[in-house]
Amino acid sequence: MPYQHILVAVDLTDECDPVMHRAQKVASASGALLSVVHVVEPMAMAFGGDVPMDLSMLQQQQYDQARQRLDAFAGKYPDLSEDRRHLTYGQPRQEIHRLASEQGCDLIIVGSHGRHGLALLLGSTANDVLHSAPCDVLAVRLKKSE
């Protein structure tokens, strides 16, 4: 059965374009809707949760910059209407799964560097999203930049 709605999770780096191109091919082949999501992680997570100062202003600036970058990225893809561009705040795996469920997505597409060993043990968003996903997950292998 063809996919109906595909959610593409992006980190807004230069490596997002190959992931989006693959997503467009899959969507075109199955006639699926295409949506995109970027998750802004709480700054406190980078500091292990114990932060002795108020980061709310910095967090808001980070969110506003992410909105601008997401709109610029999505602007390169005319099929991505504004209502299919999602910017959320929280832990990437949880937010991607939540949005996929809410939007009725039957495929999540993420980029993957295919790390092994210690890098894999420390985790990656692609690996994290795969576990307990509410639908199929396609990890697009990203080439290492030379």
Side-chain angles (χ1 to χ4, degrees):
M1 200 163 125
Y3 292 111
Q4 303 295 312
H5 193 172
I6 298 169
L7 180 63
V8 185
V10 295
D11 61 4
L12 299 176
T13 63
D14 293 338
E15 296 175 328
C16 294
D17 288 310
V19 176
M20 195 63 184
H21 293 145
R22 178 67 57 89
Q24 285 180 310
K25 287 179 183 175
V26 174
S28 177
S30 61
L33 283 176
L34 200 56
S35 294
V36 65
V37 62
H38 174 71
V39 181
V40 177
E41 291 186 72
M43 290 182 134
M45 288 177 74
F47 298 104
D50 254 352
V51 183
M53 64 180 136
D54 182 15
L55 296 174
S56 58
M57 185 181 283
L58 287 173
Q59 191 72 58
Q60 185 60 49
Q61 288 175 344
Q62 182 185 23
Y63 190 87
D64 293 342
Q65 288 174 352
R67 169 57 65 198
Q68 291 172 351
R69 290 174 45 217
L70 178 60
D71 287 342
F73 171 77
K76 296 186 284 186
Y77 304 97
D79 292 345
L80 278 178
S81 58
E82 212 168 307
D83 63 325
R84 290 194 271 133
R85 303 174 192 176
H86 304 280
L87 182 64
T88 65
Y89 178 79
Q91 198 275 337
R93 176 184 52 85
Q94 292 172 347
E95 291 303 307
I96 293 166
H97 288 176
R98 178 190 61 75
L99 187 62
S101 293
E102 284 177 7
Q103 297 289 314
C105 297
D106 47 3
L107 177 64
I108 298 169
I109 298 182
V110 294
S112 173
H113 289 96
R115 293 185 176 101
H116 301 286
L118 186 58
L120 185 59
L121 288 175
L122 294 175
S124 69
T125 300
N127 187 47
D128 214 15
V129 169
L130 176 64
H131 299 286
S132 305
C135 59
D136 292 349
V137 177
L138 172 63
V140 177
R141 180 72 181 239
L142 300 172
K143 295 183 177 29
K144 293 180 185 174
S145 53
E146 303 297 328

